[in-house]
Amino acid sequence: MAPRDPAPAHPLVRRHDRVWLAAHWREALAFPLPAAEAPVVADWIAAGRPLVAARPVSTDPEDGIRLGLALPGRRRVGLVVEAGAVRRVAPPLTLDAAAALAPASWREPLLDLATHLNAAGLAPRVFGSLAWHALACDGVEGRDTGYLTATSDVDLLLFPAAAAACMAAGRSLEDFAAAHPAPRLDGEFVLPDGGAAAWREVLAGPERVLVKHLRSLALRPTAELFGASGQEAA
C-alpha cells in the first residue's frame, strides 16, 4: 500500500497548484524573506499572479504551506505561509492555455499535442518554465518574459487512469519528439492516488519508480502504480 502523507496544512493544495495569497500574506510568513527577494515577491503578488505549491523542506513548520516563485535566469524564491493566507487555489495551467501563449514556433505543435493527449483522457497540464512564462505574460501573446530559451523543456503533468493510458501517452510523446526537435518534453504522470512519477521513468518500465507526494517519497513497484484506491495529496 502506498504511504499516506500527514494531513496537509491546506487540504486543497497539491504540488504544482497555483496559489493566490491574501493581502496579509506578509504577516503570515513562517520565515522572513531576504531583503533582495521580498520586493520581487511583493510585486509578483501585487500583479495578481499566483505562486506555485512545492514540497516542504525539513525545517518547515508542519502547518505551513511552502510556495515557490521562479524567476528568469533559473532564480528560485521559496516562502512558507500559514494556511489562512491562502486566498485561492487552482490546478496548474492546461497545456492548451499555456500553448496559446508559447513562442510562435511552439504554439501549433503544442496545441496539436494537447488535442491528442486530451483525446486519450490524459488532461495535460504544465509546470516549469512554460507555465511561469504563461503566468508572467498576463494573457498577452508574444510577450518576452525571459523564462523561455530555445533549449527550454516543456514540463507536462499527465493524468492516466490506467496503465493503458500511459502507453497511449507514450505514443503521442514519441510522435511529437520525432516530428519536432524542440521543445523537448518532460514531466510527470499523476497517479490515481495523487502521487506523481516521472513519465520517462514509468515508460522505461523499471521494476520500481520514485513516487512523490506532498510530504513523502517512496519507491513503488511499477506494476502496482494503478492498484491503489486511496486519494492522497500530490
Side-chain angles (χ1 to χ4, degrees):
M1 179 179 294
R4 289 189 173 276
D5 289 337
H10 192 294
L12 299 180
V13 176
R14 297 170 178 264
R15 288 178 62 241
H16 304 306
D17 275 355
R18 292 172 290 161
V19 179
W20 287 262
L21 296 181
H24 69 281
W25 65 269
R26 293 176 184 82
E27 290 73 36
L29 289 171
F31 309 106
L33 284 170
E37 296 177 349
V40 178
V41 175
D43 288 347
W44 181 273
I45 295 172
R49 300 168 181 159
L51 303 173
V52 172
R55 286 176 48 80
V57 302
S58 60
T59 54
D60 290 355
E62 288 189 8
D63 58 350
I65 298 173
R66 175 160 287 273
L67 303 172
L69 170 60
L71 299 169
R74 297 184 178 275
R75 290 175 59 200
R76 296 285 189 273
V77 180
L79 58 153
V80 180
V81 298
E82 300 168 359
V86 173
R87 178 170 62 85
R88 177 187 166 204
V89 178
L93 286 169
T94 64
L95 177 55
D96 308 71
L101 295 168
S105 62
W106 293 9
R107 201 168 300 155
E108 186 173 347
L110 289 176
L111 287 170
D112 186 55
L113 176 64
T115 297
H116 287 285
L117 294 174
N118 277 309
L122 290 156
R125 294 180 179 272
V126 297
F127 64 103
S129 56
L130 177 58
W132 288 111
H133 167 79
L135 292 175
C137 276
D138 296 324
V140 179
E141 292 184 17
R143 177 173 288 178
D144 181 6
T145 63
Y147 281 95
L148 295 175
T149 70
T151 59
S152 294
D153 290 350
V154 169
D155 295 303
L156 301 175
L157 290 172
L158 304 176
F159 295 78
C166 293
M167 299 304 103
R171 289 189 292 271
S172 292
L173 298 169
E174 287 174 1
D175 289 346
F176 183 94
H180 306 287
R184 179 182 179 274
L185 304 178
D186 209 345
E188 300 176 338
F189 283 138
V190 180
L191 306 171
D193 68 3
W199 56 256
R200 288 184 181 277
E201 293 184 20
V202 175
L203 293 173
E207 183 177 345
R208 292 175 177 271
V209 293
L210 182 67
V211 177
K212 299 178 182 179
H213 289 272
L214 184 65
R215 296 177 183 272
S216 65
L217 297 170
L219 281 171
R220 288 168 53 185
T222 305
E224 298 177 8
L225 293 180
F226 295 91
S229 60
Q231 298 296 317
E232 298 179 27

